[in-house]
Amino acid sequence: MSASLAPECNQVKEQYDNCFLKWYSEKFLRGTATSDECESLFKQYEQCLSKALKARGIDSMLREAREDNRENDAEHMRPKP
Amino acid sequence: MVKFYSSTDTYSYPFPAVTLAYFLRYPNPYSTHVLSTDTIARHYDPATQRLTTIRLHLKRSKLPSAVLKLLPRSFLGASAGGDTQSYILEKSVVDVREGWMDTESQNLEFTGVLSVIERQEFRRPRSQAEEELRMWQGMEGAARRHGFIKFSGDGGVDAKIEDTGETTEVKSTVTLHSHLGEKWKKRRAVEDAAGDTSDEDQPQKMGFFKSWSTSSLQRSIELIGLKRARRSQPNAKEGMKIVLERMREGGLVAVLEGMRRDREAIAGHHPHGFKTHYGSGRGEDDE
């Protein structure tokens, strides 16, 4: 698995990534997913990561970028058949 | 003053496998400059069955020497050799029912110098027979196409690709836009309007513009970015293909094992590296 930006989050990231891969290949890709089954693991991972992002000052940069993105999303993330 | 690079390609793998490989593409032997990948947000919408993912990659990059010559290093925060790290924000949406995945990646820093937005559109091609089938059977035909991945019976994660001859089309575009000097111009206009004549931080920053007009400097930087995009795009595709080959050979287990080896090599700067095996190793080699 890919490494986390924050080494202290590697373990919980790996748990989440494994859960996601299983869900993605067995449920999502088969069109049988009803909910995101890895949400609770993601919350743990997110908790660890958000501390690391804050400590590195990346959180504010991300917020700005994602706000900019929201404006563009409607335009670019639509399916073009 | 925006530059575009675009290309189309066909992967000889079914669409769902390509989407999985997209999420698993780092690390691979062509991406030794990617230091980390984190998922920072993910949303599954059961109504549309679409999955939205936002990830953050940290990449080691070497600024092209041509850019280093144009800009003062203090401005870029790079070392003397141009080594720097940069964050890339990636967003993707997958709709497996309709057979499309759209991705968008952009740099988070240096956007004032050059903003690089990379978009990819993955599409499951529709055959004539499928079109007819859809007309007659509605969505039932689509459900059948999900049978491409085999699973081991014990519930372990071991998806394998079945060779069905299916392909996936991908269209990639890179948009390069330099905003160099624009912020300063804007700020100066505001300051002028406010009657603020203090020019404290202007002389130093504007100094290197002396012999260049802002627009020609922007154009030069966009061209350098374009050259780099042309060079790194084939490597990005090779990286995806390696991940897909591993998946075909040994399922997810083989992909994860390959990633583990690649990660070790990146962390330890393996003396015999990948380069001997894969030729040009780095995705963003300088000229």
Side-chain angles (χ1 to χ4, degrees), chain B residues 25 27-32 239 242-243 246 258 262 274 278 280-282:
Chain B
R25 75 192 192 285
N28 71 65
Y30 287 90
S31 74
T32 54
I242 284 194
V243 175
R246 285 172 176 167
D262 294 343
F274 306 108
Y278 294 102
S280 62
R282 282 183 54 165

Side-chain angles (χ1 to χ4, degrees), chain A residues 1 3-5 10 13 16 20 22 24-26 28-30 33 45 58 65 69 73 76 78-80, chain B residues 19 26 36-39 42 44 49 87 89 91 96 100 102 106 108 119 121 146 151 155-157 263:
Chain A
M1 216 68 75
S4 172
L5 167 73
N10 268 333
K13 169 181 152 59
Y16 168 71
F20 171 75
K22 191 168 154 63
Y24 188 78
S25 53
E26 294 180 7
F28 179 82
L29 287 180
R30 292 180 157 194
Y45 168 38
I58 308 165
N69 271 2
D73 278 353
H76 294 300
R78 234 184 358 222
K80 292 138 219 147
Chain B
T19 69
Y26 300 137
S36 71
T37 295
D38 283 286
T39 303
R42 189 161 253 151
Y44 172 65
Q49 284 188 32
Y87 290 101
L89 191 66
K91 179 176 177 176
V96 77
W100 56 264
D102 284 357
Q106 62 177 103
L108 285 182
R119 295 194 180 90
E121 298 174 10
H146 293 303
F151 300 92
V157 181
R263 187 171 155 185

Side-chain angles (χ1 to χ4, degrees), chain B residues 185-199:
Chain B
K185 269 200 283 188
K186 248 185 248 166
R187 197 170 61 194
R188 196 162 54 168
V190 169
E191 281 168 359
D192 285 350
D196 182 356
T197 48
S198 79
D199 241 5

Side-chain angles (χ1 to χ4, degrees), chain B residues 68-88:
Chain B
L68 280 175
K69 274 175 211 148
L70 289 175
L71 300 172
R73 262 200 307 281
S74 59
F75 178 83
L76 295 165
S79 73
D83 289 313
T84 183
Q85 293 188 340
S86 54
Y87 290 101
I88 311 288

Side-chain angles (χ1 to χ4, degrees), chain B residues 84-143:
Chain B
T84 183
Q85 293 188 340
S86 54
Y87 290 101
I88 311 288
L89 191 66
E90 169 204 285
K91 179 176 177 176
S92 63
V93 182
V94 194
D95 187 321
V96 77
R97 201 166 39 179
E98 293 175 2
W100 56 264
M101 178 183 204
D102 284 357
T103 72
E104 185 176 298
S105 301
Q106 62 177 103
N107 56 322
L108 285 182
E109 299 131 301
F110 313 124
T111 48
V113 180
L114 181 66
S115 126
V116 182
I117 300 178
E118 195 180 323
R119 295 194 180 90
Q120 283 179 299
E121 298 174 10
F122 298 93
R123 294 289 179 273
R124 176 178 59 210
R126 281 189 205 155
S127 67
Q128 187 75 39
E130 268 181 316
E131 291 287 358
E132 283 167 23
L133 201 71
R134 280 169 89 88
M135 277 179 58
W136 293 106
Q137 299 183 337
M139 286 309 290
E140 283 170 42

